[in-house]
Amino acid sequence: MNNKYIEVKGGKSLEGKIKISGAKNSALVLMATSILAKGQINLFNVPQIRDVAIMSKILTSMGMYITSNEDKLEINIKSILHQPQEVFTNLFHSLRASFFCIGPILARLGSAKIPLPGGCSIGSRPIDEHISALEKLGVQFKFKNNYLIAEVINPKKRLIGTIIKFNCKSVGATKTLIMAACLAKGRTILKNSSQEPEIVDLANILNKMGAKVKGAGTECITIEGVESLGGCDYTVMPDRIEAGTYLIAAAMTRSKITFSSIEPKHLKEVINKLEMCGCKFEYSDKYLTIIPNQILNSVDITTLPYPGFPTDLQAPFMALMTTANGVSTIKETVFENRMHHVKELNKMGAQISLKDNTAKVVGVKKLKASSVIGFDLRGTAALAIAGLYANGKSIIQGLEHLERGYEDFALKLQQIGAEIRHKKQN
Ligand code: UD1
């Protein structure tokens, strides 16, 4: 266990504005597109979080040169693009998104040798969809000592476009295949693709680099392969999961909070559920304001691929439901092991029972400040949200998870009046 933790003194109402950062799940894949580019990629609105720092090191291990200045990253190839060096294996294990590199590496180099990926412990997170789809583009795979060794079969080492139907909705596999197919010979059609806004962001940057990707945001994406891609300037989309987390924190503390740099259309289902709970929303050109009722109603959710309710907000929403009026059913259908927060929320006085991947949450009037442990990124955020509601001082271990994906988590909440700090045990 890491010795860093979060300390929250809860029970306060909050007030003010929060600016949403660039999306973690988009920035990481946009960084990987630099492997495909013959020119420099300048990314703006990149969140300063640990996953981005790890991705930078991974790209550096392949010969990329990266400079960062606040939210700007400049990425280009220093000398010759090569396979990741073995000394960086641990970086790949620590970041699921490291696997985004396989598509671009295969498209660019014709072979890949990369360590298997890691990430949050929320399920088995297989990569079979990525593998079987890449096989259809003409790749042969071997597994050896925790490494994936891949080779484009075609003597010219170029992937060949084809029609691929994913067996299940996978955000990662859709991203991998779009990047791989950009430089393939001919047309690739991806059916049963994921529709997340981060996939649209990926298609937009690739098209700016000279790719021909159509249909991103729908279940059928068509990619006409091109000979090469250039560099470009690109601004990362706002983080809808960060935004959803703070919207839920505002509802939890029954506080009126205004958000800037937010994209409400990416949050439709989340806003819909918050409205059903008793939150009102005011929209203006640049801002979204949430105005929660003092008494919130229980609402049921089932996590689903976009445009359904995002699995990444299941834990924060469950924290909110612990103090709502009535009984709520929360069903996790995307990942099979994403309920670690249930036991910890119960330590804080919540009344949650769990059967398989369905939680029944009986709303209570009070939560008690406690010492709890976050086991993954979003689960830790959920516990911090519960801590904001509970009267007294809560200690939440798991800061190392939170720092992977939230830029300035404590600072943003402090700015709206929360007493929350990142701390280190001596
Ligand atoms: C991405 C997001 C993560 C989010 C998830 C679902 C990033 C870096 N992470 O993760 O925050 O929670 O989407 O919205 O963008 N699956 C397979 N075989 C595969 C791939 C996936 O069975 O080859 C399964 C997974 O085990 C899971 C489901 O499909 O049950 C969805 O996974 P996927 O959409 O691929 O999630 P990630 O891309 O890993």
Side-chain angles (χ1 to χ4, degrees):
M1 186 57 64
N2 201 293
N3 64 350
K4 292 199 292 181
Y5 61 95
I6 305 153
E7 185 184 280
V8 197
K9 285 188 192 144
K12 282 182 72 178
S13 179
L14 311 174
E15 195 182 355
K17 282 193 181 135
I18 291 183
K19 183 175 183 287
I20 298 305
S21 299
K24 162 179 107 65
N25 286 350
S26 193
L28 296 171
V29 69
L30 299 190
M31 290 171 75
T33 64
S34 61
I35 300 170
L36 293 164
K38 283 201 169 146
Q40 180 166 312
I41 300 286
N42 298 319
L43 291 178
F44 301 88
N45 201 30
V46 179
Q48 293 175 58
I49 50 173
R50 219 179 59 236
D51 276 7
V52 165
I54 296 173
M55 193 63 166
S56 293
K57 286 188 188 156
I58 286 173
L59 292 173
T60 309
S61 80
M62 289 181 235
M64 314 295 288
Y65 183 69
I66 303 182
T67 52
S68 67
N69 184 359
E70 295 185 355
D71 72 346
K72 182 182 174 193
L73 279 188
E74 293 176 1
I75 315 176
N76 55 38
I77 295 178
K78 198 179 189 179
S79 49
I80 297 168
L81 181 69
H82 51 77
Q83 303 293 339
Q85 291 155 13
E86 290 200 10
V87 287
F88 293 99
T89 300
N90 282 344
L91 293 177
F92 279 80
H93 292 323
S94 66
L95 181 67
R96 167 83 177 171
S98 61
F99 202 65
F100 290 146
C101 296
I102 194 159
I105 296 178
L106 282 167
R108 200 67 199 277
L109 298 177
S111 67
K113 183 182 176 206
I114 68 166
L116 291 170
C120 271
S121 54
I122 54 178
S124 61
R125 305 188 87 174
I127 48 169
D128 55 315
E129 286 296 314
H130 304 243
I131 304 280
S132 63
L134 286 169
E135 278 173 346
K136 293 190 179 110
L137 287 187
V139 184
Q140 216 165 36
F141 285 95
K142 276 192 298 196
F143 292 91
K144 207 173 168 193
N145 305 332
N146 246 350
Y147 266 82
L148 190 63
I149 301 165
E151 194 77 41
V152 178
I153 305 163
N154 175 316
K156 290 188 178 155
K157 295 288 167 209
R158 191 167 177 198
L159 297 164
I160 312 274
T162 187
I163 298 174
I164 293 163
K165 185 167 183 217
F166 294 111
N167 294 311
C168 70
K169 285 255 162 50
S170 162
V171 178
T174 304
K175 289 173 176 172
T176 292
L177 267 288
I178 292 175
M179 287 189 281
C182 273
L183 293 180
K185 187 172 180 334
R187 176 183 298 169
T188 302
I189 299 177
L190 303 177
K191 295 185 175 173
N192 197 25
S193 295
S194 292
Q195 294 169 263
E196 270 66 3
E198 292 77 12
I199 289 166
V200 178
D201 221 26
L202 172 63
N204 288 344
I205 192 173
L206 289 167
N207 287 340
K208 243 186 147 183
M209 290 159 67
K212 292 184 177 164
V213 183
K214 278 193 188 144
T218 73
E219 286 185 327
C220 183
I221 300 175
T222 305
I223 305 125
E224 299 286 349
V226 295
E227 295 293 325
S228 68
L229 295 172
C232 74
D233 290 357
Y234 194 81
T235 302
V236 179
M237 62 173 266
D239 195 318
R240 65 193 168 97
I241 304 301
E242 187 204 20
T245 304
Y246 294 131
L247 282 170
I248 292 168
M252 185 73 177
T253 53
R254 318 303 196 251
S255 306
K256 177 179 172 182
I257 305 291
T258 295
F259 294 86
S260 62
S261 303
I262 192 169
E263 185 49 90
K265 72 169 187 278
H266 294 162
L267 286 153
K268 267 193 190 152
E269 187 53 18
V270 178
I271 289 173
N272 176 30
K273 292 292 178 183
L274 287 170
E275 278 176 340
M276 287 165 73
C277 293
C279 298
K280 292 191 180 62
F281 288 86
E282 279 175 10
Y283 297 82
S284 73
D285 258 8
K286 291 191 181 152
Y287 302 105
L288 175 69
T289 301
I290 179 169
I291 307 153
N293 278 344
Q294 287 310 304
I295 295 177
L296 295 180
N297 303 317
S298 291
V299 167
D300 298 340
I301 59 160
T302 298
T303 65
L304 286 169
Y306 191 85
F309 192 93
T311 170
D312 285 348
L313 290 175
Q314 176 258 110
F317 199 84
M318 192 185 299
L320 176 64
M321 288 299 95
T322 61
T323 66
N325 198 15
V327 181
S328 140
T329 302
I330 296 186
K331 201 169 169 190
E332 173 60 54
T333 72
V334 179
F335 289 107
E336 75 272 23
N337 192 17
R338 203 170 203 182
M339 289 285 184
H340 303 297
H341 45 281
V342 168
K343 203 169 141 209
E344 303 303 304
L345 286 170
N346 281 344
K347 281 188 197 162
M348 299 180 80
Q351 279 188 26
I352 311 170
S353 52
L354 187 61
K355 190 163 183 286
D356 302 322
N357 268 327
T358 302
K360 192 174 134 200
V361 187
V362 180
V364 294
K365 290 231 159 42
K366 281 185 178 170
L367 291 179
K368 58 175 190 285
S370 314
S371 190
V372 288
I373 305 173
F375 292 96
D376 58 54
L377 171 58
R378 310 301 174 184
T380 308
L383 296 175
I385 288 171
L388 289 172
Y389 184 87
N391 275 320
K393 185 163 86 178
S394 291
I395 300 290
I396 297 140
Q397 310 230 17
L399 179 56
E400 69 280 9
H401 302 300
L402 202 74
E403 287 177 339
R404 279 191 41 218
Y406 289 93
E407 182 176 55
D408 297 331
F409 185 79
L411 184 67
K412 288 189 182 190
L413 290 166
Q414 282 163 16
Q415 283 166 352
I416 55 169
E419 281 193 60
I420 180 166
R421 263 168 205 85
H422 293 179
K423 298 199 85 166
K424 197 169 181 179
Q425 247 152 15
N426 295 320

